Amino acid sequence: MKKVLLVDDSQDIIDSLIRWINLTGNLSIVGTADNANNAINLFMELEPDIVILDINLKEGTGIEVLSEIKKTNVNTIVIILTNYTLAAFKKSALENGADYFLDKTQDIDKLTKILANLNA
């Protein structure tokens, strides 16, 4: 079973992702964080296989978290799920090692397919 860490500054988004992932089965949510420092600490402690990560966080950015994750374990799958979909954000995320870059408002179906494929 793949371990998932959820990182978003919105508790509503975290709650929605938890409900949705629990319905999909075969994925285990091992932790949640709403700021960059907690996200990095939890990543180091829990060693998740997949991180779903927002760009806008308290006390830092998702790009900083992404960079630390990829420095520690390049094999961790990082899915950026954000409302900040400008080309510059996408470019920065991909240059720092993001495996996927998704829009919260338009790409939930894509997230479903990605997680299903990663868990196959």
Short mmCIF file of all heavy atoms in Angstrom, two decimals, residues 5-72:
data_model
loop_
_atom_site.label_atom_id
_atom_site.label_comp_id
_atom_site.label_asym_id
_atom_site.label_seq_id
_atom_site.Cartn_x
_atom_site.Cartn_y
_atom_site.Cartn_z
N LEU A 5 1.38 11.67 1.78
CA LEU A 5 1.44 12.84 2.64
C LEU A 5 0.72 13.97 1.91
O LEU A 5 1.00 14.24 0.74
CB LEU A 5 2.90 13.24 2.91
CG LEU A 5 3.13 14.55 3.67
CD1 LEU A 5 2.54 14.47 5.09
CD2 LEU A 5 4.62 14.87 3.72
N LEU A 6 -0.23 14.62 2.61
CA LEU A 6 -0.99 15.73 2.05
C LEU A 6 -0.50 17.03 2.64
O LEU A 6 -0.39 17.16 3.86
CB LEU A 6 -2.48 15.57 2.37
CG LEU A 6 -3.15 14.27 1.93
CD1 LEU A 6 -4.59 14.21 2.41
CD2 LEU A 6 -3.06 14.10 0.42
N VAL A 7 -0.21 18.01 1.77
CA VAL A 7 0.31 19.31 2.23
C VAL A 7 -0.48 20.42 1.55
O VAL A 7 -0.40 20.59 0.32
CB VAL A 7 1.81 19.46 1.91
CG1 VAL A 7 2.33 20.78 2.47
CG2 VAL A 7 2.61 18.28 2.44
N ASP A 8 -1.26 21.15 2.34
CA ASP A 8 -2.06 22.26 1.83
C ASP A 8 -2.36 23.19 2.98
O ASP A 8 -2.57 22.73 4.11
CB ASP A 8 -3.35 21.74 1.20
CG ASP A 8 -3.98 22.74 0.25
OD1 ASP A 8 -4.44 23.81 0.73
OD2 ASP A 8 -4.02 22.47 -0.96
N ASP A 9 -2.43 24.50 2.69
CA ASP A 9 -2.73 25.45 3.76
C ASP A 9 -4.22 25.55 4.05
O ASP A 9 -4.61 26.18 5.02
CB ASP A 9 -2.16 26.83 3.42
CG ASP A 9 -2.80 27.46 2.20
OD1 ASP A 9 -3.18 26.71 1.28
OD2 ASP A 9 -2.90 28.69 2.15
N SER A 10 -5.05 24.90 3.25
CA SER A 10 -6.50 24.90 3.46
C SER A 10 -6.96 23.59 4.09
O SER A 10 -6.82 22.53 3.47
CB SER A 10 -7.22 25.11 2.13
OG SER A 10 -8.60 24.82 2.27
N GLN A 11 -7.51 23.68 5.31
CA GLN A 11 -8.02 22.47 5.96
C GLN A 11 -9.16 21.86 5.17
O GLN A 11 -9.33 20.65 5.14
CB GLN A 11 -8.44 22.76 7.40
CG GLN A 11 -8.77 21.52 8.20
CD GLN A 11 -7.60 20.55 8.31
OE1 GLN A 11 -6.49 20.92 8.64
NE2 GLN A 11 -7.84 19.27 8.01
N ASP A 12 -9.96 22.70 4.49
CA ASP A 12 -11.05 22.18 3.67
C ASP A 12 -10.53 21.30 2.53
O ASP A 12 -11.10 20.24 2.24
CB ASP A 12 -11.89 23.32 3.09
CG ASP A 12 -12.73 24.04 4.14
OD1 ASP A 12 -12.98 23.46 5.22
OD2 ASP A 12 -13.12 25.19 3.88
N ILE A 13 -9.45 21.72 1.91
CA ILE A 13 -8.84 20.92 0.84
C ILE A 13 -8.29 19.62 1.41
O ILE A 13 -8.50 18.55 0.84
CB ILE A 13 -7.73 21.71 0.10
CG1 ILE A 13 -8.32 22.93 -0.59
CG2 ILE A 13 -6.97 20.82 -0.87
CD1 ILE A 13 -9.26 22.64 -1.74
N ILE A 14 -7.59 19.71 2.53
CA ILE A 14 -7.07 18.50 3.18
C ILE A 14 -8.20 17.53 3.48
O ILE A 14 -8.11 16.33 3.17
CB ILE A 14 -6.30 18.85 4.48
CG1 ILE A 14 -5.03 19.63 4.16
CG2 ILE A 14 -6.01 17.61 5.31
CD1 ILE A 14 -3.87 18.82 3.66
N ASP A 15 -9.28 18.02 4.09
CA ASP A 15 -10.41 17.17 4.43
C ASP A 15 -11.03 16.53 3.19
O ASP A 15 -11.36 15.33 3.19
CB ASP A 15 -11.49 17.97 5.18
CG ASP A 15 -11.03 18.40 6.57
OD1 ASP A 15 -10.03 17.85 7.09
OD2 ASP A 15 -11.67 19.32 7.13
N SER A 16 -11.16 17.30 2.11
CA SER A 16 -11.71 16.76 0.87
C SER A 16 -10.81 15.67 0.29
O SER A 16 -11.28 14.63 -0.16
CB SER A 16 -11.90 17.87 -0.16
OG SER A 16 -12.88 18.77 0.25
N LEU A 17 -9.50 15.93 0.28
CA LEU A 17 -8.57 14.93 -0.23
C LEU A 17 -8.59 13.66 0.61
O LEU A 17 -8.54 12.54 0.07
CB LEU A 17 -7.15 15.50 -0.29
CG LEU A 17 -6.88 16.50 -1.40
CD1 LEU A 17 -5.54 17.18 -1.20
CD2 LEU A 17 -6.95 15.84 -2.77
N ILE A 18 -8.68 13.80 1.92
CA ILE A 18 -8.75 12.63 2.80
C ILE A 18 -9.98 11.79 2.46
O ILE A 18 -9.89 10.57 2.29
CB ILE A 18 -8.75 13.04 4.29
CG1 ILE A 18 -7.38 13.56 4.69
CG2 ILE A 18 -9.16 11.86 5.18
CD1 ILE A 18 -7.34 14.22 6.06
N ARG A 19 -11.14 12.45 2.37
CA ARG A 19 -12.38 11.71 2.04
C ARG A 19 -12.26 11.03 0.69
O ARG A 19 -12.59 9.85 0.54
CB ARG A 19 -13.58 12.66 2.04
CG ARG A 19 -14.07 13.03 3.42
CD ARG A 19 -15.43 13.75 3.38
NE ARG A 19 -15.40 14.98 2.60
CZ ARG A 19 -15.03 16.16 3.06
NH1 ARG A 19 -14.67 16.29 4.33
NH2 ARG A 19 -15.04 17.23 2.30
N TRP A 20 -11.76 11.75 -0.28
CA TRP A 20 -11.66 11.22 -1.62
C TRP A 20 -10.66 10.05 -1.70
O TRP A 20 -10.95 9.01 -2.29
CB TRP A 20 -11.28 12.33 -2.59
CG TRP A 20 -11.11 11.84 -3.96
CD1 TRP A 20 -12.09 11.57 -4.87
CD2 TRP A 20 -9.88 11.50 -4.58
NE1 TRP A 20 -11.53 11.08 -6.02
CE2 TRP A 20 -10.18 11.04 -5.86
CE3 TRP A 20 -8.55 11.54 -4.16
CZ2 TRP A 20 -9.19 10.62 -6.74
CZ3 TRP A 20 -7.58 11.13 -5.04
CH2 TRP A 20 -7.90 10.68 -6.31
N ILE A 21 -9.49 10.21 -1.11
CA ILE A 21 -8.47 9.15 -1.15
C ILE A 21 -8.94 7.92 -0.39
O ILE A 21 -8.71 6.79 -0.83
CB ILE A 21 -7.11 9.67 -0.63
CG1 ILE A 21 -6.53 10.65 -1.65
CG2 ILE A 21 -6.15 8.53 -0.34
CD1 ILE A 21 -5.30 11.39 -1.19
N ASN A 22 -9.63 8.12 0.72
CA ASN A 22 -10.15 6.97 1.47
C ASN A 22 -11.16 6.17 0.65
O ASN A 22 -11.26 4.95 0.81
CB ASN A 22 -10.76 7.42 2.80
CG ASN A 22 -9.70 7.76 3.82
OD1 ASN A 22 -8.56 7.32 3.73
ND2 ASN A 22 -10.06 8.59 4.78
N LEU A 23 -11.88 6.83 -0.24
CA LEU A 23 -12.84 6.12 -1.10
C LEU A 23 -12.14 5.33 -2.20
O LEU A 23 -12.68 4.33 -2.68
CB LEU A 23 -13.81 7.12 -1.75
CG LEU A 23 -14.82 7.77 -0.83
CD1 LEU A 23 -15.62 8.82 -1.58
CD2 LEU A 23 -15.75 6.74 -0.23
N THR A 24 -10.95 5.76 -2.60
CA THR A 24 -10.26 5.08 -3.70
C THR A 24 -9.62 3.77 -3.25
O THR A 24 -9.38 2.90 -4.06
CB THR A 24 -9.18 5.97 -4.33
OG1 THR A 24 -8.16 6.22 -3.36
CG2 THR A 24 -9.75 7.27 -4.84
N GLY A 25 -9.34 3.65 -1.95
CA GLY A 25 -8.74 2.42 -1.44
C GLY A 25 -7.28 2.26 -1.82
O GLY A 25 -6.77 2.91 -2.72
N ASN A 26 -6.60 1.39 -1.12
CA ASN A 26 -5.21 1.01 -1.38
C ASN A 26 -4.19 2.13 -1.30
O ASN A 26 -3.08 1.99 -1.77
CB ASN A 26 -5.08 0.29 -2.72
CG ASN A 26 -5.72 -1.07 -2.67
OD1 ASN A 26 -5.88 -1.66 -1.60
ND2 ASN A 26 -6.11 -1.58 -3.82
N LEU A 27 -4.58 3.27 -0.76
CA LEU A 27 -3.64 4.33 -0.45
C LEU A 27 -3.79 4.65 1.02
O LEU A 27 -4.90 4.69 1.54
CB LEU A 27 -3.92 5.59 -1.28
CG LEU A 27 -3.67 5.50 -2.77
CD1 LEU A 27 -4.23 6.73 -3.48
CD2 LEU A 27 -2.20 5.33 -3.09
N SER A 28 -2.69 4.86 1.70
CA SER A 28 -2.72 5.15 3.12
C SER A 28 -2.22 6.57 3.37
O SER A 28 -1.07 6.89 3.06
CB SER A 28 -1.82 4.16 3.86
OG SER A 28 -1.71 4.51 5.22
N ILE A 29 -3.09 7.42 3.90
CA ILE A 29 -2.68 8.78 4.24
C ILE A 29 -1.93 8.71 5.56
O ILE A 29 -2.50 8.36 6.59
CB ILE A 29 -3.89 9.72 4.34
CG1 ILE A 29 -4.61 9.78 2.99
CG2 ILE A 29 -3.45 11.12 4.79
CD1 ILE A 29 -5.96 10.42 3.04
N VAL A 30 -0.64 9.03 5.52
CA VAL A 30 0.19 8.90 6.71
C VAL A 30 0.37 10.20 7.46
O VAL A 30 0.85 10.20 8.59
CB VAL A 30 1.57 8.28 6.37
CG1 VAL A 30 1.40 6.84 5.89
CG2 VAL A 30 2.31 9.11 5.33
N GLY A 31 -0.01 11.33 6.83
CA GLY A 31 0.13 12.60 7.52
C GLY A 31 -0.39 13.75 6.69
O GLY A 31 -0.61 13.63 5.48
N THR A 32 -0.60 14.88 7.39
CA THR A 32 -1.00 16.12 6.73
C THR A 32 -0.21 17.27 7.33
O THR A 32 0.19 17.22 8.50
CB THR A 32 -2.51 16.41 6.90
OG1 THR A 32 -2.79 16.66 8.28
CG2 THR A 32 -3.36 15.25 6.39
N ALA A 33 0.01 18.30 6.52
CA ALA A 33 0.71 19.50 6.99
C ALA A 33 0.13 20.71 6.29
O ALA A 33 -0.33 20.62 5.15
CB ALA A 33 2.21 19.39 6.69
N ASP A 34 0.17 21.86 7.01
CA ASP A 34 -0.33 23.09 6.41
C ASP A 34 0.77 24.14 6.24
O ASP A 34 0.52 25.23 5.77
CB ASP A 34 -1.49 23.67 7.21
CG ASP A 34 -1.07 24.16 8.59
OD1 ASP A 34 0.11 23.99 8.97
OD2 ASP A 34 -1.93 24.73 9.29
N ASN A 35 2.00 23.79 6.60
CA ASN A 35 3.09 24.73 6.40
C ASN A 35 4.35 23.99 5.95
O ASN A 35 4.45 22.77 6.08
CB ASN A 35 3.35 25.58 7.65
CG ASN A 35 3.92 24.80 8.80
OD1 ASN A 35 5.01 24.25 8.71
ND2 ASN A 35 3.20 24.73 9.91
N ALA A 36 5.28 24.75 5.41
CA ALA A 36 6.47 24.17 4.81
C ALA A 36 7.33 23.40 5.81
O ALA A 36 7.79 22.30 5.52
CB ALA A 36 7.29 25.27 4.12
N ASN A 37 7.55 23.97 6.99
CA ASN A 37 8.41 23.30 7.98
C ASN A 37 7.83 21.96 8.41
O ASN A 37 8.55 20.95 8.47
CB ASN A 37 8.62 24.20 9.19
CG ASN A 37 9.46 25.41 8.87
OD1 ASN A 37 10.28 25.38 7.96
ND2 ASN A 37 9.26 26.49 9.60
N ASN A 38 6.55 21.93 8.72
CA ASN A 38 5.92 20.66 9.12
C ASN A 38 5.95 19.65 7.98
O ASN A 38 6.13 18.46 8.21
CB ASN A 38 4.48 20.89 9.59
CG ASN A 38 4.40 21.53 10.95
OD1 ASN A 38 5.39 21.63 11.67
ND2 ASN A 38 3.22 21.99 11.32
N ALA A 39 5.74 20.13 6.76
CA ALA A 39 5.75 19.23 5.61
C ALA A 39 7.10 18.54 5.47
O ALA A 39 7.17 17.32 5.28
CB ALA A 39 5.42 20.02 4.34
N ILE A 40 8.17 19.31 5.57
CA ILE A 40 9.51 18.72 5.43
C ILE A 40 9.79 17.75 6.58
O ILE A 40 10.30 16.65 6.37
CB ILE A 40 10.57 19.83 5.34
CG1 ILE A 40 10.40 20.59 4.03
CG2 ILE A 40 11.98 19.25 5.46
CD1 ILE A 40 11.17 21.89 3.95
N ASN A 41 9.46 18.15 7.80
CA ASN A 41 9.68 17.27 8.95
C ASN A 41 8.89 15.98 8.83
O ASN A 41 9.42 14.89 9.10
CB ASN A 41 9.33 17.99 10.25
CG ASN A 41 10.32 19.09 10.59
OD1 ASN A 41 11.46 19.08 10.15
ND2 ASN A 41 9.86 20.07 11.35
N LEU A 42 7.62 16.07 8.44
CA LEU A 42 6.81 14.86 8.27
C LEU A 42 7.33 14.00 7.14
O LEU A 42 7.32 12.77 7.24
CB LEU A 42 5.34 15.22 8.03
CG LEU A 42 4.55 15.65 9.26
CD1 LEU A 42 3.16 16.14 8.86
CD2 LEU A 42 4.43 14.51 10.26
N PHE A 43 7.78 14.62 6.07
CA PHE A 43 8.34 13.84 4.97
C PHE A 43 9.53 13.02 5.46
O PHE A 43 9.64 11.82 5.16
CB PHE A 43 8.76 14.75 3.81
CG PHE A 43 9.46 13.98 2.74
CD1 PHE A 43 8.74 13.22 1.85
CD2 PHE A 43 10.84 14.00 2.65
CE1 PHE A 43 9.39 12.46 0.87
CE2 PHE A 43 11.50 13.26 1.68
CZ PHE A 43 10.78 12.50 0.79
N MET A 44 10.43 13.66 6.20
CA MET A 44 11.62 12.96 6.71
C MET A 44 11.23 11.82 7.66
O MET A 44 11.81 10.75 7.62
CB MET A 44 12.54 13.94 7.43
CG MET A 44 13.05 15.06 6.58
SD MET A 44 14.11 14.47 5.25
CE MET A 44 14.75 16.02 4.67
N GLU A 45 10.24 12.08 8.49
CA GLU A 45 9.83 11.09 9.50
C GLU A 45 9.03 9.95 8.89
O GLU A 45 9.26 8.78 9.22
CB GLU A 45 8.96 11.80 10.55
CG GLU A 45 8.39 10.88 11.60
CD GLU A 45 7.44 11.60 12.52
OE1 GLU A 45 7.53 12.84 12.67
OE2 GLU A 45 6.57 10.93 13.11
N LEU A 46 8.11 10.24 7.99
CA LEU A 46 7.15 9.24 7.52
C LEU A 46 7.56 8.55 6.22
O LEU A 46 7.02 7.49 5.90
CB LEU A 46 5.77 9.89 7.34
CG LEU A 46 5.20 10.55 8.58
CD1 LEU A 46 3.94 11.33 8.24
CD2 LEU A 46 4.91 9.50 9.65
N GLU A 47 8.47 9.14 5.46
CA GLU A 47 8.96 8.57 4.20
C GLU A 47 7.82 8.13 3.28
O GLU A 47 7.75 6.97 2.87
CB GLU A 47 9.92 7.42 4.48
CG GLU A 47 11.13 7.85 5.28
CD GLU A 47 12.08 6.72 5.59
OE1 GLU A 47 11.76 5.54 5.30
OE2 GLU A 47 13.16 7.02 6.12
N PRO A 48 6.93 9.05 2.91
CA PRO A 48 5.81 8.67 2.04
C PRO A 48 6.28 8.37 0.61
O PRO A 48 7.34 8.84 0.18
CB PRO A 48 4.92 9.91 2.06
CG PRO A 48 5.87 11.03 2.30
CD PRO A 48 6.91 10.47 3.24
N ASP A 49 5.47 7.59 -0.09
CA ASP A 49 5.75 7.28 -1.50
C ASP A 49 5.27 8.41 -2.41
O ASP A 49 5.83 8.63 -3.48
CB ASP A 49 5.02 6.00 -1.90
CG ASP A 49 5.39 4.84 -1.01
OD1 ASP A 49 6.57 4.46 -1.02
OD2 ASP A 49 4.52 4.33 -0.29
N ILE A 50 4.19 9.09 -1.97
CA ILE A 50 3.54 10.13 -2.77
C ILE A 50 3.29 11.34 -1.88
O ILE A 50 2.83 11.19 -0.75
CB ILE A 50 2.19 9.62 -3.33
CG1 ILE A 50 2.39 8.36 -4.19
CG2 ILE A 50 1.47 10.72 -4.12
CD1 ILE A 50 1.10 7.63 -4.51
N VAL A 51 3.56 12.53 -2.40
CA VAL A 51 3.23 13.77 -1.71
C VAL A 51 2.34 14.59 -2.63
O VAL A 51 2.71 14.84 -3.78
CB VAL A 51 4.49 14.58 -1.32
CG1 VAL A 51 4.09 15.88 -0.64
CG2 VAL A 51 5.41 13.75 -0.43
N ILE A 52 1.16 14.97 -2.12
CA ILE A 52 0.29 15.90 -2.83
C ILE A 52 0.51 17.25 -2.17
O ILE A 52 0.26 17.40 -0.97
CB ILE A 52 -1.18 15.44 -2.77
CG1 ILE A 52 -1.32 14.06 -3.42
CG2 ILE A 52 -2.07 16.47 -3.48
CD1 ILE A 52 -2.71 13.47 -3.35
N LEU A 53 0.97 18.23 -2.95
CA LEU A 53 1.56 19.44 -2.40
C LEU A 53 1.01 20.69 -3.07
O LEU A 53 0.99 20.78 -4.31
CB LEU A 53 3.08 19.35 -2.63
CG LEU A 53 3.98 20.48 -2.23
CD1 LEU A 53 3.93 20.75 -0.74
CD2 LEU A 53 5.41 20.16 -2.66
N ASP A 54 0.58 21.65 -2.26
CA ASP A 54 0.15 22.95 -2.76
C ASP A 54 1.38 23.87 -2.86
O ASP A 54 2.38 23.65 -2.18
CB ASP A 54 -0.88 23.55 -1.81
CG ASP A 54 -1.58 24.79 -2.36
OD1 ASP A 54 -1.39 25.12 -3.55
OD2 ASP A 54 -2.33 25.42 -1.60
N ILE A 55 1.30 24.89 -3.69
CA ILE A 55 2.40 25.86 -3.79
C ILE A 55 2.32 26.89 -2.67
O ILE A 55 3.32 27.25 -2.06
CB ILE A 55 2.39 26.56 -5.16
CG1 ILE A 55 2.86 25.58 -6.23
CG2 ILE A 55 3.28 27.80 -5.15
CD1 ILE A 55 2.86 26.13 -7.63
N ASN A 56 1.12 27.36 -2.37
CA ASN A 56 0.93 28.41 -1.37
C ASN A 56 0.79 27.76 0.02
O ASN A 56 -0.18 27.10 0.30
CB ASN A 56 -0.31 29.24 -1.69
CG ASN A 56 -0.46 30.41 -0.77
OD1 ASN A 56 0.51 31.02 -0.36
ND2 ASN A 56 -1.70 30.73 -0.43
N LEU A 57 1.81 27.95 0.85
CA LEU A 57 1.82 27.38 2.19
C LEU A 57 2.18 28.45 3.21
O LEU A 57 2.74 29.49 2.87
CB LEU A 57 2.86 26.25 2.29
CG LEU A 57 2.66 25.05 1.39
CD1 LEU A 57 3.86 24.13 1.52
CD2 LEU A 57 1.38 24.32 1.74
N LYS A 58 1.87 28.15 4.47
CA LYS A 58 2.33 29.01 5.55
C LYS A 58 3.82 28.76 5.77
O LYS A 58 4.30 27.64 5.60
CB LYS A 58 1.56 28.67 6.83
CG LYS A 58 0.06 28.86 6.72
CD LYS A 58 -0.63 28.32 7.95
CE LYS A 58 -2.14 28.35 7.76
NZ LYS A 58 -2.84 27.67 8.83
N GLU A 59 4.54 29.80 6.14
CA GLU A 59 5.96 29.68 6.50
C GLU A 59 6.81 29.06 5.40
O GLU A 59 7.68 28.25 5.66
CB GLU A 59 6.11 28.87 7.78
CG GLU A 59 5.37 29.43 8.96
CD GLU A 59 5.36 28.48 10.15
OE1 GLU A 59 6.19 27.56 10.21
OE2 GLU A 59 4.51 28.67 11.02
N GLY A 60 6.56 29.44 4.17
CA GLY A 60 7.35 28.92 3.06
C GLY A 60 6.47 28.60 1.86
O GLY A 60 5.28 28.92 1.86
N THR A 61 7.09 27.97 0.87
CA THR A 61 6.34 27.63 -0.34
C THR A 61 6.43 26.14 -0.64
O THR A 61 7.35 25.45 -0.17
CB THR A 61 6.89 28.39 -1.56
OG1 THR A 61 8.17 27.86 -1.91
CG2 THR A 61 6.98 29.88 -1.31
N GLY A 62 5.50 25.69 -1.44
CA GLY A 62 5.53 24.31 -1.89
C GLY A 62 6.75 24.01 -2.75
O GLY A 62 7.25 22.88 -2.75
N ILE A 63 7.25 25.01 -3.46
CA ILE A 63 8.45 24.81 -4.27
C ILE A 63 9.65 24.51 -3.38
O ILE A 63 10.47 23.64 -3.68
CB ILE A 63 8.73 26.04 -5.17
CG1 ILE A 63 7.55 26.32 -6.11
CG2 ILE A 63 10.03 25.87 -5.94
CD1 ILE A 63 7.21 25.21 -7.10
N GLU A 64 9.74 25.19 -2.23
CA GLU A 64 10.82 24.90 -1.28
C GLU A 64 10.68 23.48 -0.72
O GLU A 64 11.67 22.76 -0.60
CB GLU A 64 10.79 25.91 -0.13
CG GLU A 64 11.11 27.32 -0.56
CD GLU A 64 10.75 28.37 0.47
OE1 GLU A 64 9.96 28.11 1.40
OE2 GLU A 64 11.26 29.49 0.33
N VAL A 65 9.47 23.10 -0.41
CA VAL A 65 9.22 21.74 0.10
C VAL A 65 9.58 20.71 -0.98
O VAL A 65 10.26 19.72 -0.71
CB VAL A 65 7.76 21.57 0.56
CG1 VAL A 65 7.48 20.13 0.96
CG2 VAL A 65 7.44 22.52 1.71
N LEU A 66 9.13 20.96 -2.19
CA LEU A 66 9.43 20.07 -3.31
C LEU A 66 10.93 19.88 -3.47
O LEU A 66 11.42 18.75 -3.62
CB LEU A 66 8.83 20.66 -4.59
CG LEU A 66 9.27 20.07 -5.92
CD1 LEU A 66 8.86 18.63 -6.04
CD2 LEU A 66 8.70 20.91 -7.06
N SER A 67 11.68 20.96 -3.43
CA SER A 67 13.12 20.89 -3.58
C SER A 67 13.75 20.02 -2.49
O SER A 67 14.62 19.18 -2.78
CB SER A 67 13.70 22.30 -3.55
OG SER A 67 15.09 22.27 -3.68
N GLU A 68 13.31 20.20 -1.25
CA GLU A 68 13.85 19.38 -0.15
C GLU A 68 13.49 17.91 -0.31
O GLU A 68 14.30 17.03 -0.05
CB GLU A 68 13.33 19.90 1.19
CG GLU A 68 13.97 21.20 1.62
CD GLU A 68 15.49 21.09 1.79
OE1 GLU A 68 15.97 20.11 2.40
OE2 GLU A 68 16.18 21.99 1.28
N ILE A 69 12.25 17.65 -0.74
CA ILE A 69 11.82 16.26 -0.95
C ILE A 69 12.70 15.59 -1.99
O ILE A 69 13.21 14.48 -1.77
CB ILE A 69 10.34 16.21 -1.38
CG1 ILE A 69 9.44 16.55 -0.19
CG2 ILE A 69 9.98 14.85 -1.98
CD1 ILE A 69 7.98 16.76 -0.55
N LYS A 70 12.89 16.25 -3.11
CA LYS A 70 13.66 15.64 -4.20
C LYS A 70 15.14 15.51 -3.86
O LYS A 70 15.80 14.59 -4.34
CB LYS A 70 13.43 16.41 -5.51
CG LYS A 70 12.04 16.23 -6.06
CD LYS A 70 11.75 14.77 -6.42
CE LYS A 70 10.41 14.59 -7.07
NZ LYS A 70 10.22 13.25 -7.65
N LYS A 71 15.67 16.41 -3.02
CA LYS A 71 17.05 16.27 -2.55
C LYS A 71 17.20 15.02 -1.69
O LYS A 71 18.23 14.36 -1.71
CB LYS A 71 17.48 17.48 -1.73
CG LYS A 71 17.82 18.70 -2.52
CD LYS A 71 18.26 19.81 -1.58
CE LYS A 71 18.21 21.16 -2.24
NZ LYS A 71 18.45 22.24 -1.29
N THR A 72 16.16 14.73 -0.91
CA THR A 72 16.19 13.60 0.02
C THR A 72 15.91 12.28 -0.68
O THR A 72 16.58 11.28 -0.43
CB THR A 72 15.17 13.82 1.15
OG1 THR A 72 15.47 15.06 1.78
CG2 THR A 72 15.22 12.70 2.17
#
